[in-house]
Amino acid sequence: MHPSKVSDQGIELVKKFEGLHKVQPDGTVSSYRCPAGVWTIGYGFTKGIRSGTKMTVDDCEHRLTEELNEFGAQVRHVVNVPLTQSQFDAVTSFTFNVGVGNLKSSTLLRKLNAGD
């Protein structure tokens, strides 16, 4: 019914739009406060991030894949219609950006499940 994971193309799309922020000259990635004032690192990770958190670029890429697949599991749980790989990647990217709660209450989900 749905793809089992986000495709490599979906991951690359998220990387392109999110961007990898605060890469230091030594190759580490540092946490920063996003415009909303939330501690963030890498491609927009917020869970468990605080001032002074550091990661490597490889850690950020690995975490992005893991988090996208976790969000993808939530997408599979709430979307009741079949999705192509591209649709699944797009809805998962949306969910990564706005959160699962916002997906659940979104017009996107309502229209998608209505077959619209």
Side-chain angles (χ1 to χ4, degrees):
M1 180 169 181
H2 302 302
S4 62
K5 65 180 193 168
V6 176
S7 71
D8 291 342
Q9 293 84 358
I11 293 168
E12 290 302 315
L13 184 68
V14 171
K15 287 168 67 173
K16 177 182 173 187
F17 283 105
E18 291 292 335
L20 181 60
H21 298 281
K22 304 293 180 184
V23 179
Q24 303 303 308
D26 67 359
T28 61
V29 181
S30 299
S31 60
Y32 62 96
R33 285 198 189 262
C34 74
V38 177
W39 283 107
T40 306
I41 197 168
Y43 293 103
F45 315 127
T46 58
K47 185 178 180 182
I49 305 305
R50 56 186 187 269
S51 175
T53 301
K54 294 202 179 287
M55 297 175 77
T56 66
V57 171
D58 285 344
D59 290 339
C60 290
E61 294 199 2
H62 180 74
R63 182 167 175 172
L64 179 62
T65 299
E66 285 184 351
E67 285 199 14
L68 286 173
N69 285 317
E70 289 172 13
F71 279 101
Q74 293 295 320
V75 168
R76 283 192 303 277
H77 183 70
V78 299
V79 174
N80 301 322
V81 295
L83 297 175
T84 65
Q85 182 69 57
S86 295
Q87 291 169 326
F88 178 76
D89 291 349
V91 176
T92 301
S93 173
F94 174 83
T95 306
F96 176 77
N97 197 278
V98 302
V100 174
N102 287 321
L103 171 66
K104 288 178 180 178
S105 63
S106 71
T107 301
L108 170 67
L109 182 63
R110 182 175 46 81
K111 288 185 170 266
L112 188 61
N113 281 337
D116 193 358

